Amino acid sequence: MAKLITPLVPKQIDSAKPKDKPYILFDGGGLYLEVTPLGSKFWRMKFRQANGKENWLSFGKYPDVSLEQVCQKQNKARKLKAAGIDAAENRKFYSVDGSVCED
């Protein structure tokens, strides 16, 4: 049975403190927030390619990229994956400032 993951809320993200080793706060759907020992917080998404290999997307640093923005980026990446496009290799779907380009 799959483990149910409750989505992150801004209060959880803000209260995440650095530890001795990097750790992860999961949001669901492959999206997570990585908290480093220096206190940096990075948005990442883990997914599988068509050939079965694992891959990751980086969406930016919190608070530069908010929870709402990263959810929009995750949805865009999932749509690209469903269309058979590897968003990790095709960065042209993302603009220079890191925001998702519209179709």
Side-chain angles (χ1 to χ4, degrees):
M1 182 173 194
K3 183 178 178 181
L4 293 177
I5 297 175
T6 56
L8 290 174
V9 293
K11 186 176 181 179
Q12 284 177 296
I13 298 167
D14 292 334
S15 64
K17 302 295 180 203
K19 297 181 181 179
D20 292 338
K21 294 183 179 181
Y23 68 98
I24 294 173
L25 299 174
F26 292 99
D27 188 57
L31 182 67
Y32 61 91
L33 184 73
E34 182 178 336
V35 182
T36 67
L38 297 176
S40 299
K41 300 172 185 177
F42 297 100
W43 291 112
R44 306 216 192 281
M45 180 179 157
K46 183 174 165 182
F47 65 97
R48 291 208 178 264
Q49 297 173 335
N51 62 8
K53 292 178 77 174
E54 284 188 354
N55 207 348
W56 295 266
L57 282 175
S58 294
F59 292 129
K61 186 176 179 180
Y62 182 83
D64 297 340
V65 179
S66 69
L67 181 59
E68 294 81 20
Q69 291 171 325
V70 81
C71 288
Q72 292 173 356
K73 290 181 180 195
Q74 178 194 25
N75 289 336
K76 178 67 174 181
R78 292 174 79 183
K79 287 178 185 177
L80 291 174
K81 184 177 181 282
I85 299 169
D86 185 2
E89 290 185 13
N90 297 297
R91 293 302 232 179
K92 65 184 177 185
F93 293 103
Y94 296 89
S95 65
V96 175
D97 67 350
S99 63
V100 176
C101 297
E102 297 298 322
D103 290 335

